[in-house]
Amino acid sequence: MHRRLITLAAVLFACSNGPSGSSNDAGAATPDAASASSPLDDGQIVSVLHALYEGESDEGRVVANSAARAEIVSFADQVVTDDSSADAAVTRDAASESIAPSDSPASAGLRGNTAQELVTLKSETGPALAVSFVSFAAARERGALAILDRLLSRYASNPLLRARVASAREIVTDHLAHANALAIALAR
């Protein structure tokens, strides 16, 4: 019980802070948009959006199939639905605009974080699974906002891609608010 309270306190603290870009609550590095050494091109931006959406969808599917609390399952389902739809739109628009996805440190970092977080999520059950998912979601969304605001919105040159970046920001902001609310509910 004591460990759970400490973990919940850490989740609440993480959810209350602004974009950090340094590490998530499991200690894994999150992509730091401020430390990017060069601008991203449109292909790299497509890759970052895909890595973000795919990672969140993968984590949401794991949690939706394993979580016991209805509000956690509902949030996980929302993440899967929102991000799968957004990923399909980005992929479709990139193809229609002949933008070939290309890797970048930001997209590789997102994929690496997802891999680490999936290992944790697959190994946990009950309250620990709920706390980890909410913690990971909050950290990922804060990092995503930093990337969206500092890099993607600034460097996207294709008008359709710029619209997808703006749409991504709306989705990320909604998911962060939901994660924050769940962190508070879990602490009760």
Side-chain angles (χ1 to χ4, degrees):
M1 179 66 166
H2 182 56
R3 181 179 183 272
R4 181 172 180 227
L5 289 175
I6 291 171
T7 304
L8 286 172
V11 170
L12 287 171
F13 177 76
C15 291
S16 68
N17 289 329
S20 67
S22 57
S23 68
N24 68 22
D25 297 297
T30 54
D32 188 346
S35 69
S37 59
S38 62
L40 298 177
D41 62 33
D42 285 349
Q44 291 171 319
I45 292 170
V46 168
S47 185
V48 168
L49 291 173
H50 176 68
L52 174 68
Y53 291 141
E54 184 178 55
E56 289 185 356
S57 294
D58 289 348
E59 290 180 15
R61 275 189 280 282
V62 166
V63 173
N65 293 326
S66 305
R69 292 182 65 150
E71 65 265 35
I72 300 298
V73 172
S74 176
F75 179 48
D77 285 340
Q78 177 189 349
V79 167
V80 171
T81 299
D82 293 348
D83 288 359
S84 295
S85 175
D87 191 32
V90 167
T91 301
R92 181 185 61 246
D93 290 350
S96 75
E97 297 290 311
S98 301
I99 302 170
S102 56
D103 211 10
S104 69
S107 59
L110 286 167
R111 283 193 308 278
N113 288 347
T114 297
Q116 290 176 352
E117 292 169 2
L118 283 170
V119 168
T120 300
L121 293 172
K122 289 176 181 179
S123 70
E124 292 183 343
T125 60
L129 175 64
V131 168
S132 289
F133 179 60
V134 169
S135 174
F136 291 155
R140 180 183 288 271
E141 303 305 358
R142 284 191 325 273
L145 283 175
I147 291 170
L148 289 165
D149 291 345
R150 295 180 193 159
L151 286 181
L152 304 191
S153 63
R154 185 179 305 164
Y155 296 118
S157 62
N158 180 284
L160 200 51
L161 186 55
R162 288 185 75 79
R164 289 297 171 205
V165 169
S167 175
R169 193 177 197 300
E170 291 176 21
I171 293 168
V172 166
T173 301
D174 181 55
H175 289 178
L176 180 57
H178 203 151
N180 288 341
L182 284 173
I184 292 167
L186 289 172
R188 292 185 179 142

